Amino acid sequence: MKRFPYKDIKRATDGFQSIMYTTSHIAAYKARFQDGGVVLIKEMRDYDQGKDAFYREVQLLGRLHHRHLLALKGFSTGHRRLLVFDNIERGSLKEHLTDPIRTPLDWKTRLQIVIGVVAALEYLLLFNEPPMYHVSISSSSIMLDENFNAKLSDVGLQSSGENYVTVPHTSCAKDCMGQECGNIMFQLGVLILELVTGQSSDDRAADLVQWIREYRFCSSIHKMLDPDLGNSYDSRELKSLLAVAKLCVRYGDKPKTSILQVLRYLHKKIESPHD
């Protein structure tokens, strides 16, 4: 794991001005180094557990390897405690959903983003030992690589505020049906609604959840659908995706399904040939 000079990171982030997202404990910056690479820098704020705890986090994050997780490249312990992650050439998902200058994401790309996020959650919660991580799912913290593959960037051991979900080793069984996983499922449902409607959950999360919980929400889909999609979407896939979103937000912290079941459902309904 590479140790980056503090001065290089300060220069690459334009004096820590290029903020991508912030929480109560973390600030994330876009950094452009002299070699031209664009990476994500995370500053661990209010981290009062000492350097040993920070180094443990570096070690644990460094051993996470999944194509839908933003990989840790290095760190810095100068004036601030900083984590340096992999390339983020295409920026965040939120930028692609809300920035009118960017080319809108097509339907296939949005589907693959959902599947990628769910695959990363499956890895973190069910196939990582121990699953003692915190994960936050939002369009602000999901990065896109050059092929528009989704990369979760807000994963770690330190709480990042109320949107962060603790995943203790003892509470999430193999089916991942505990309260913590219920919170993660809820965030996943909101993310799906963002992708379908093109609306940011930062401003309209409550409205989006209220809409999908309505008994006759299907009759208003055409009003809520992102206009940038036009007629390029598959109506069967759209209904399957909305069914997942509805299931994810329906039960709050007492989920009736698991991340693994959601992933299998998506593969069956979206990736298999239509009848």
Side-chain angles (χ1 to χ4, degrees):
M1 197 63 61
K2 181 179 179 180
R3 184 190 291 267
F4 286 78
Y6 173 80
K7 63 179 182 179
D8 290 354
I9 293 179
K10 184 177 181 180
R11 184 187 307 115
T13 58
D14 192 22
F16 298 100
Q17 296 300 309
S18 54
I19 299 174
M20 296 204 70
Y21 64 88
T22 61
T23 68
S24 58
H25 294 281
I26 288 174
Y29 308 92
K30 180 182 290 186
R32 185 178 295 276
F33 286 98
Q34 292 182 338
D35 62 3
V38 180
V39 305
L40 184 76
I41 305 291
K42 282 172 61 176
E43 177 186 356
M44 314 299 286
R45 293 175 169 176
D46 302 324
Y47 203 84
D48 56 0
Q49 300 180 47
K51 282 190 176 182
D52 288 344
F54 176 73
Y55 289 142
R56 282 197 298 272
E57 174 129 357
V58 169
Q59 290 175 339
L60 288 168
L61 290 176
R63 78 181 190 188
L64 296 178
H65 298 287
H66 192 277
R67 66 189 300 259
H68 293 294
L69 292 179
L70 200 62
L72 184 67
K73 296 178 63 176
F75 63 96
S76 175
T77 56
H79 300 285
R80 311 184 189 205
R81 289 181 184 171
L82 305 163
L83 299 172
V84 182
F85 289 84
D86 212 347
N87 293 341
I88 52 166
E89 289 290 345
R90 296 199 181 272
S92 70
L93 172 58
K94 182 178 179 179
E95 291 175 302
H96 287 269
L97 291 176
T98 61
D99 188 345
I101 298 177
R102 291 181 182 263
T103 302
L105 299 173
D106 62 26
W107 178 247
K108 181 180 178 181
T109 300
R110 298 185 196 211
L111 290 180
Q112 293 306 313
I113 286 172
V114 174
I115 292 173
V117 169
V118 174
L121 292 175
E122 179 191 29
Y123 167 76
L124 288 171
L125 303 181
L126 303 177
F127 296 101
N128 198 60
E129 183 64 32
M132 295 179 62
Y133 295 98
H134 304 248
V135 55
S136 179
I137 310 166
S138 73
S139 58
S140 298
S141 61
I142 293 174
M143 302 298 147
L144 301 178
D145 68 9
E146 63 276 8
N147 296 316
F148 292 97
N149 291 309
K151 304 276 188 177
L152 298 188
S153 72
D154 208 351
V155 177
L157 293 175
Q158 183 182 0
S159 174
S160 179
E162 60 186 11
N163 289 329
Y164 239 117
V165 178
T166 307
V167 187
H169 177 53
T170 56
S171 66
C172 274
K174 286 187 178 180
D175 58 358
C176 197
M177 301 282 282
Q179 176 180 348
E180 297 82 7
C181 293
N183 292 332
I184 291 177
M185 294 284 283
F186 185 88
Q187 290 185 65
L188 176 63
V190 172
L191 175 69
I192 291 173
L193 295 177
E194 284 189 83
L195 286 163
V196 168
T197 65
Q199 300 178 28
S200 172
S201 65
D202 293 346
D203 307 316
R204 307 230 15 221
D207 293 339
L208 293 175
V209 170
Q210 182 178 357
W211 168 65
I212 198 69
R213 282 176 170 171
E214 290 177 357
Y215 179 67
R216 299 180 180 232
F217 81 94
C218 287
S219 63
S220 60
I221 289 177
H222 65 286
K223 296 179 182 179
M224 297 294 289
L225 197 63
D226 187 351
D228 287 336
L229 286 170
N231 296 317
S232 66
Y233 63 91
D234 182 294
S235 59
R236 175 176 168 174
E237 292 174 342
L238 173 62
K239 289 179 181 179
S240 295
L241 208 55
L242 288 174
V244 172
K246 189 177 181 70
L247 189 65
C248 286
V249 304
R250 183 175 182 181
Y251 296 104
D253 59 5
K254 297 180 180 179
K256 301 298 182 182
T257 189
S258 70
I259 293 291
L260 185 57
Q261 289 171 318
V262 168
L263 184 61
R264 287 173 176 168
Y265 178 86
L266 289 172
H267 282 305
K268 179 180 179 181
K269 293 293 185 179
I270 293 174
E271 297 200 328
S272 60
H274 295 343
D275 296 330

